Structures are given as C-alpha cells and as structure tokens.
Amino acid sequence: MLWGIRLLDQCYQEAHEALKLKYIKGDNQNLRFQDIKGAGKESDPSPILDIDLITPVKSGNVKLLEKRMGELEALLKQAGMDSYIYMQFMVSSLYSAVLKELGDAGICAELVFENPVEEYKKLIGCETIGRAIGVLGENLKRICEYAGSQKSGAYSRPMVKALAYMEENYSSPALSLEDTAAAAGLSSARFSTSFKSETGVTFTDYLLKLRMEKAKELMRDPNRKIYEIAMMTGYSNIPYFSTAFKKYTGCPPSEYREKRQGFSGQTRDSVID
C-alpha cells in the first residue's frame, strides 16, 4: 500500500515534467523517458531579459524584430526546463514590458489592436512555447508596422482603406464614420482614435475639408450651378452647404466663385447664401 502511494507520487512528478516538456517542445513531439528524468534543471533568465525587442518595434524594423524573436525562442527553449508556468510568465512579462515602454513613447496598443486585453489572453493561453512565440511575434509585428508607418509619414493599411472609401463616397450624404470604420475593418471607437492619431484631425473635420476642396474644384466650371455642386459633394440641404462653405472659405459660394473667376453677377446661379 505504502509502495503504491510512493509510486503514485513518482508518476505525478513525471507527468508534471512531461507537461513542462510539452510546453517547450510543442505538439506532435515524442517525449523520451530519459528526457523527462533529465528535466528540472535551473535556468538563468538574464539572457532572455537582455534581448532588446523595444528598438526594432519603435523603429518599425520588421526584419530586425524577426531576428530578435528567433533569438528569444531559442533561448526560451534552451532555458525553459524548470517550469512551464515560469516560461509563460516570462513571455507575458516581456510582452507587458514592451507595451508599457511603447506606451510611454506614445505608441498605444489601442491604436493597433481591437482589444489589447484579448490579445494578452491569447498569449498566456498558449499551450506550447512555439505558439506563445508565434502570438507574441505577430502582435509585435503589427505594432512594428504601425510604428514604421507613423515614422515614414505613411498611413496604416486600415487608414489607407478608410481614406480611399471616403474619396469614393464623399458625394453621398449618408457617408458616416461607422460605414468608413467598417470599410477599414475596425470598430467605430478604435477607428475614431486611429483616424485622429494618423491624420491629425477628426473624421468630421477631414470629411468637411474633403467635400469643401471638391466643391472649390467644381466651381471652376462657371456653368455648374451651386445647388448641383452641393449635391455632388454630399449636401442635400443647400442652405447648410452654403453655411459650411462660408465657414470654411470665409465667403459664400457665389462670392467665392466671383472672386476666383473675375466676373460678378454673370453666372446663372440662384443660390441661397
């Protein structure tokens, strides 16, 4: 009876070591008994903590980030025999440290991820170190690409989609932030924050400028009526268009046209200013 209890404890310890090895080696790997018996060595975390993930992410250098991630995975697999829970902690701690430092530098996770908390849960829920490194690397790559686009002055891919959608649909009075966010593949809240961060203005202000600049271009044609221009730039309410135009340019549409084209009262417009 006593021997059976001792054997049960030994089996538990060996199963625990096998679980650790599964986290390190990954799925579909053969675990040898001697590997399990040899597990449990102490590891030095300092080489892992010394890997600089911040620099490539901040600079938007994807290739350097991929190199650093390869180094990280190799070190984790080499040093991760003492506790798979400890290894999960190491990976999640690295991620948290990177996000904190990037946040201090003005790069917020909310600008990149729909739900940063869910991304963190995915990371700590990985059953193998390979999967954890994959999730960590993918998330850092997304942040890296965002930082690179900001540094180069280029827009992120969702923002490029959003601006193209606005360019195609500015003439529709129904054009909304919600529709544009959907076209970009983002939630309305995240899109609103990202739009202001990348363009420097709100969605409403950007749309107003887009429509007003299009209206100014259309006014070069003296035969085009003001109400036609209003309709072509997304305004079904002509007085509202005139008010918005005056606020944007400093003068009503007809006066703006007269000043630009040098003829007073010669157009055929009948406008409510």
Side-chain angles (χ1 to χ4, degrees):
M1 180 71 174
L2 182 61
W3 180 83
I5 293 175
R6 288 175 179 173
L7 182 61
L8 180 62
D9 179 68
Q10 179 182 344
C11 291
Y12 170 80
Q13 294 298 328
E14 290 174 354
H16 185 66
E17 295 300 331
L19 182 59
K20 289 191 255 180
L21 278 176
K22 175 184 180 294
Y23 183 75
I24 302 300
K25 289 194 172 186
D27 295 325
N28 302 318
Q29 298 293 322
N30 294 322
L31 302 181
R32 298 178 302 172
F33 182 74
Q34 53 265 41
D35 293 332
I36 298 173
K37 296 293 289 183
K41 67 180 182 180
E42 294 296 323
S43 61
D44 178 13
S46 56
I48 298 171
L49 297 175
D50 286 341
I51 293 180
D52 179 17
L53 299 175
I54 300 292
T55 298
V57 174
K58 272 187 178 181
S59 62
N61 191 331
V62 176
K63 288 186 177 180
L64 179 58
L65 174 63
E66 291 174 346
K67 178 182 178 183
R68 295 281 167 80
M69 290 303 300
E71 295 171 356
L72 174 62
E73 182 173 10
L75 283 172
L76 285 171
K77 288 185 174 181
Q78 178 182 351
M81 295 302 217
D82 48 357
S83 170
Y84 76 96
I85 295 178
Y86 170 74
M87 297 309 297
Q88 286 178 314
F89 173 75
M90 285 293 294
V91 173
S92 60
S93 294
L94 278 170
Y95 186 47
S96 298
V98 170
L99 291 186
K100 182 181 183 304
E101 188 158 342
L102 291 173
D104 293 341
I107 304 175
C108 300
E110 288 78 6
L111 298 175
V112 183
F113 304 111
E114 183 76 25
N115 190 330
V117 175
E118 287 301 316
E119 295 300 326
Y120 183 78
K121 287 181 179 179
K122 288 180 186 177
L123 179 65
I124 62 176
C126 293
E127 297 179 353
T128 68
I129 197 168
R131 291 179 186 173
I133 290 295
V135 172
L136 177 63
E138 182 59 32
N139 286 354
L140 292 183
K141 183 178 179 181
R142 287 170 65 182
I143 300 173
C144 187
E145 290 175 342
Y146 174 81
S149 69
Q150 294 296 291
K151 185 177 180 181
S152 65
Y155 292 122
S156 63
R157 279 177 288 182
M159 200 55 54
V160 170
K161 291 181 180 179
L163 296 179
Y165 182 82
M166 293 175 73
E167 184 71 29
E168 293 172 3
N169 296 278
Y170 70 87
S171 60
S172 170
L175 177 61
S176 66
L177 182 148
E178 290 74 18
D179 290 340
T180 309
L186 303 174
S187 69
S188 297
R190 182 183 168 198
F191 172 72
S192 181
T193 302
S194 298
F195 194 95
K196 177 67 181 294
S197 174
E198 294 196 42
T199 66
V201 296
T202 64
F203 171 83
T204 301
D205 288 342
Y206 187 96
L207 180 57
L208 174 66
K209 180 179 180 180
L210 176 61
R211 284 172 166 168
M212 291 297 105
E213 291 299 324
K214 295 294 184 181
K216 287 164 64 176
E217 291 178 14
L218 291 169
M219 284 188 185
R220 294 175 182 173
D221 181 358
N223 297 315
R224 198 179 296 278
K225 296 181 181 295
I226 298 297
Y227 78 83
E228 292 176 333
I229 294 173
M231 297 291 289
M232 293 174 70
T233 53
Y235 293 92
S236 55
N237 186 309
I238 313 305
Y240 183 75
F241 167 76
S242 296
T243 300
F245 191 90
K246 182 177 180 180
K247 185 176 180 180
Y248 183 79
T249 64
C251 58
S254 57
E255 183 180 336
Y256 177 88
R257 169 174 275 174
E258 290 168 3
K259 288 180 178 180
R260 291 293 180 272
Q261 297 187 345
F263 57 93
S264 179
Q266 294 181 18
T267 63
R268 297 176 296 164
D269 293 302
S270 177
V271 179
I272 301 174
D273 288 336

